[in-house]
Amino acid sequence: LLLGTTITISSNHWITAWAGLEINTLAIIPLISKSHHPRAIEATIKYFLVQATASTLILFSSMSNAWATGQWDITQLNHPTSCLLLTSAIAMKLGLVPFHFWFPEVLQGASMTTALLLSTMMKFPPITILFLTSHSLNPTLLAAMAIASAALGGWMGLNQTQIRKLLAFSSISHLGWMALIIAYSPDLTLLTFYLYTLMTATVFLAFNTTKALKLSTMMTAWTKAPVLNVTLMLTLLSLAGLPPLTGFLPKWLIIQELTKQEMTTTATIITMLSLLGLFFYLRLAYYSTITLPPNSTNYMKQWHINKPTSTPVAILTSLSALLLPISPMILAAI
């Protein structure tokens, strides 16, 4: 997995980038099908078919570009048809609308840690390819996909009770924000991706600690780790993009950049659509902390749990709630 990612992000030739993506796909397959449950096997096959199709499209787009221009360099993607093909191939890899159908299903079939890998690390190589080709992509197509992703991620998330599917739709709407800004400010897309990865990793690891898979089990998770659940609420609100928390930073910067590009309407639409996401994050936060289960528990809350929360989770939680005040430093770094 690490090798495939490294090859793709450090390559400047289409064939090596494609090879890295293939290694990545083949490396994650045993991790998804590890449990040998029929749903896990189904998820593996769906994942494999979609990723194989997307890889073929990437190869096709780069070959037609090389045929027309004689260039195999990733940054020299000048052929219009190749650009369109590449955009759809990367959208398929990432799970952007209209190629999003596989993503919630695959996440639901995988375990929590594999779902975390699929939502964060597996998105990095395709985002890198978008970053390298950002100057030649079609902004209108990306904007249409982005708004559709934000809308669908919000709408479909409202109806879910399974936590992994909820996080999948949250991921789709966040990818919408990244796709919207890639043509205008690629650095901002990477910053958004890093912060999204940080917050999503925190949420997945917290759920993995409390072993919550649906909203109903989440309500009883309060007694297992009260402190973790309180910090999880903050992380969820950060993921929703509420101001005093880290998640507000990328949304604020993206809206600012869109206003500079005179795309005020687009900025307004995508901001309104993020309210849909806010609703289901609030519902998750409500279930995790505010609602106590209907049955009265007869034992004391375990403020001192036998298995302490791991240090990475503690560090990630702090980062995903408190990075906003040092945003000038982060911006100076990029």
Side-chain angles (χ1 to χ4, degrees):
L1 211 57
L2 286 167
L3 176 73
T5 307
T6 314
I7 289 174
T8 304
I9 64 178
S10 57
S11 62
N12 54 9
H13 191 288
W14 277 114
I15 295 293
T16 45
W18 169 81
L21 288 169
E22 285 296 308
I23 293 171
N24 245 356
T25 305
L26 292 174
I28 196 87
I29 278 173
L31 290 174
I32 306 174
S33 61
K34 191 172 58 182
S35 66
H36 298 296
H37 188 277
R39 183 169 279 165
I41 305 298
E42 183 188 340
T44 310
I45 291 171
K46 282 179 179 169
Y47 182 77
F48 175 73
L49 291 174
V50 171
Q51 298 298 315
T53 313
S55 293
T56 315
L57 274 176
I58 288 175
L59 209 50
F60 182 41
S61 116
S62 54
M63 283 172 75
S64 54
N65 183 63
W67 183 270
T69 63
Q71 281 289 347
W72 277 103
D73 196 313
I74 293 184
T75 49
Q76 306 289 323
L77 189 76
N78 301 321
H79 196 241
T81 320
S82 300
C83 291
L84 290 175
L85 272 172
L86 181 83
T87 310
S88 24
I90 295 292
M92 208 179 280
K93 281 252 173 223
L94 289 172
L96 276 171
V97 175
F99 308 106
H100 64 281
F101 298 98
W102 63 274
F103 191 50
E105 300 293 326
V106 171
L107 239 62
Q108 184 57 33
S111 68
M112 268 294 179
T113 37
T114 313
L116 165 61
L117 280 177
L118 283 168
S119 307
T120 54
M121 193 175 167
M122 300 302 289
K123 302 261 185 265
F124 191 39
I127 291 260
T128 316
I129 293 178
L130 270 190
F131 180 82
L132 291 171
T133 55
S134 57
H135 55 276
S136 50
L137 299 173
N138 181 348
T140 321
L141 176 66
L142 283 170
M145 277 181 167
I147 286 174
S149 297
L152 189 124
W155 279 119
M156 297 288 282
L158 296 178
N159 203 17
Q160 296 299 326
T161 55
Q162 296 286 344
I163 288 172
R164 281 166 297 187
K165 278 195 176 176
L166 252 168
L167 290 170
F169 287 116
S170 125
S171 177
I172 290 169
S173 58
H174 276 276
L175 283 167
W177 282 83
M178 291 175 219
L180 184 60
I181 204 68
I182 188 101
Y184 307 104
S185 173
D187 291 341
L188 193 46
T189 299
L190 277 188
L191 174 71
T192 312
F193 178 72
Y194 295 147
L195 292 177
Y196 153 78
T197 303
L198 173 78
M199 294 181 289
T200 309
T202 314
V203 172
F204 269 113
L205 291 170
F207 283 135
N208 195 35
T209 309
T210 56
K211 296 286 176 277
L213 294 174
K214 336 191 261 295
L215 290 182
S216 54
T217 49
M218 199 171 160
M219 289 167 73
T220 53
W222 165 258
T223 48
K224 287 185 192 166
V227 183
L228 184 63
N229 267 348
V230 174
T231 50
L232 175 64
M233 179 179 85
L234 284 175
T235 312
L236 286 164
L237 295 179
S238 179
L239 205 50
L242 288 185
L245 306 161
T246 308
F248 177 58
L249 175 63
K251 290 194 170 167
W252 168 33
L253 293 172
I254 287 173
I255 291 167
Q256 188 181 328
E257 184 63 37
L258 287 173
T259 323
K260 280 183 194 165
Q261 300 290 343
E262 296 181 358
M263 293 172 69
T264 325
T265 322
T266 318
T268 312
I269 292 169
I270 202 159
T271 312
M272 297 295 274
L273 289 172
S274 73
L275 290 174
L276 292 167
L278 175 63
F279 178 81
F280 67 75
Y281 290 123
L282 274 174
R283 190 174 60 173
L284 272 173
Y286 185 75
Y287 276 136
S288 73
T289 311
I290 304 163
T291 313
L292 284 179
N295 53 338
S296 57
T297 44
N298 294 327
Y299 55 93
M300 296 292 286
K301 300 266 185 297
Q302 301 170 0
W303 292 97
H304 297 283
I305 43 176
N306 302 332
K307 196 183 91 178
T309 306
S310 62
T311 316
V313 178
I315 296 168
L316 286 170
T317 311
S318 313
L319 290 176
S320 56
L322 303 170
L323 278 184
L324 192 67
I326 61 159
S327 50
M329 208 158 83
I330 299 171
L331 293 179
I334 63 163

